[in-house]
Amino acid sequence: MHNRRVVVTQRFFDDKTITFLENAGCTVVQAELPAGQADGNLSHDELVTLLQGAAGWIVGHARVTRELQADLPDLQIISRRGVGYERVDLEAAKDFGKVVCIAAGGNDASVADHTMSLMLAAGHRFRETQQNMITGNWSILMGSDLYQKTVGIVGLGRIGRSLVQRLKGFDVQILAVDEDRGDGFVQQNGIELVSLDDLLTRSDYISLHVPLTPETKFMIDASALLRMKRGAILVNAARGGLVDDKALLDALKSGHIAAAGLDVFVSESDPEYKSVTQELIELPNVIATPHAGASTREGLDRTNMVAARCVVAVLNGENPPAQCVVADGRRAG
C-alpha cells in the first residue's frame, strides 16, 4: 500500500477519530508538544522533522509556508482542524500538487454559542461585576439587554447563520453585510442587508464572521469604530486582524465603545501587538478568551472527524466534500 502516515499536530485529538483513521489503513502519529505550546510555536525545522515522510497532516495554527511544503515532498493533504486558512500558502499547495482542506461545518455551533456568550457577558458586565465582588464590592452595575436590540452581523457564512438562529429568541433586528445567496435565508429570517457603514451606525451589537484576507484586514479601524453608536458592543470571535486592536483599545478607554467580547487578537500573528492585547484583556469592560471559541469537547470531536475524513478521501484518491476544499493541486497537475 502507498504511504498512509498521518501526523496530527493538534491537542485534544479523540480516540474515535484515531480509530477511524487506523481503520482506513493510516498510521497515526500524534506530535508531543511541550505544555502550553501549540503547533503555531514550532519552527520550520521542527515541523520538517515531525512531518518527514508523512502523507497527511492534521494541523492547527502552524504556518504552512512555501518553503515548508517544498521540504515535505511526500505530503499530499494539509487538513486544518478549523475553518481559517490564512496561514497556509495556497498557491504553493497548488504548485506542489497538494490538497488543503478545512473542517467546514464542524465548529459552527460551538463558535456561535461562544459568540452569544461574549455578547451576553459583555452586555451584562459579568466580568466587571465579579471582579468587584471578589474585592467585597457587591454594588450592582447597570448592564444592557440584548433583547429587542439591533444586531449587526458581518458575514453570513456558516457561523454567521448559526448565530442568526440563536438570536431569534431575543427578538432582535438583524442587519448583515453580505450577499443574498438566493436560498431564501435572508428573507426567511427577516435580515436586512446593508452596507458596512450603515451597519456600524445602526447596530447596538456588532459581531464579525468573515475570514481574514487582504480586503478584510483592519476592516474595523479607528474610523469604523468612531462611526459605531456610542455605547455599542463589538464582538470578534472570527480572526485577529479584522479589528485594529490599538484603535479598539482607544475606543474602549474613551468610553465610545461600551464593551468588547474578544476571542481573537492581532498579536496571534503580530508579536508587536502583544502589549496591546495585554492592555485589552486587563480592561474591566473586555470579555476575553484565548481563541477558544471552537474548543468544546463536542466541537473538537466534530472538527477532528471532518479533518480526518478529508485526509482519508485524498489518500484514497477521492475528493473531500467540496465545502472543505480550499486548494487542490491535483487538478492543476
Side-chain angles (χ1 to χ4, degrees), residues 22 26 29 59 91 167 185 225 265 305:
E22 290 175 341
C26 298
V29 179
V59 60
E91 291 307 312
L167 286 167
F185 183 85
L225 289 161
F265 303 89
M305 186 58 78

Side-chain angles (χ1 to χ4, degrees), residues 67-266:
E67 292 74 24
L68 180 62
Q69 294 181 56
D71 285 346
L72 298 170
D74 296 320
L75 190 63
Q76 299 176 46
I77 163 79
I78 300 155
S79 191
R80 273 229 62 228
R81 188 187 73 181
V83 295
Y85 49 87
E86 70 275 2
R87 295 189 178 201
V88 183
D89 189 327
L90 301 182
E91 291 307 312
K94 292 174 186 175
D95 291 343
F96 291 125
K98 304 182 192 300
V99 181
V100 180
C101 290
I102 58 172
N107 62 16
D108 305 353
S110 306
V111 178
D113 284 357
H114 198 85
T115 301
M116 288 296 308
S117 301
L118 292 173
M119 280 188 180
L120 291 167
H124 286 267
R125 302 172 74 177
F126 285 168
R127 178 195 178 175
E128 197 174 351
T129 296
Q130 186 167 351
Q131 284 180 321
N132 286 349
M133 291 171 69
I134 290 169
T135 62
N137 177 3
W138 283 55
S139 60
I140 294 172
L141 299 176
M142 200 69 69
S144 299
D145 280 345
L146 179 57
Y147 175 64
Q148 290 193 337
K149 289 299 196 304
T150 298
V151 178
I153 301 175
V154 183
L156 286 177
R158 291 178 299 270
I159 295 170
R161 290 183 173 213
S162 294
L163 180 60
V164 169
Q165 301 302 326
R166 285 152 177 75
L167 286 167
K168 285 184 175 180
F170 292 86
D171 194 20
V172 296
Q173 177 187 9
I174 299 178
L175 311 178
V177 176
D178 208 322
E179 61 184 21
D180 188 342
R181 294 176 176 83
D183 56 5
F185 183 85
V186 170
Q187 292 76 16
Q188 291 163 13
N189 291 282
I191 300 168
E192 183 183 350
L193 294 181
V194 296
S195 67
L196 178 61
D197 192 65
D198 199 16
L199 182 142
L200 291 170
T201 58
R202 293 171 57 190
S203 299
D204 301 298
Y205 290 77
I206 293 174
S207 189
L208 307 179
H209 297 284
V210 292
L212 179 62
T213 66
E215 292 72 36
T216 61
K217 184 173 174 62
F218 287 176
M219 67 187 302
I220 306 299
D221 57 10
S223 173
L225 289 161
L226 283 173
R227 296 200 300 280
M228 286 174 62
K229 270 187 181 180
R230 185 169 185 83
I233 291 171
L234 178 68
V235 174
N236 185 10
R239 278 291 178 269
L242 298 176
V243 180
D244 181 343
D245 286 351
K246 289 179 181 175
L248 176 60
L249 181 63
D250 291 340
L252 286 161
K253 283 182 172 180
S254 73
H256 181 72
I257 304 299
L262 304 173
D263 187 44
V264 291
F265 303 89
V266 178

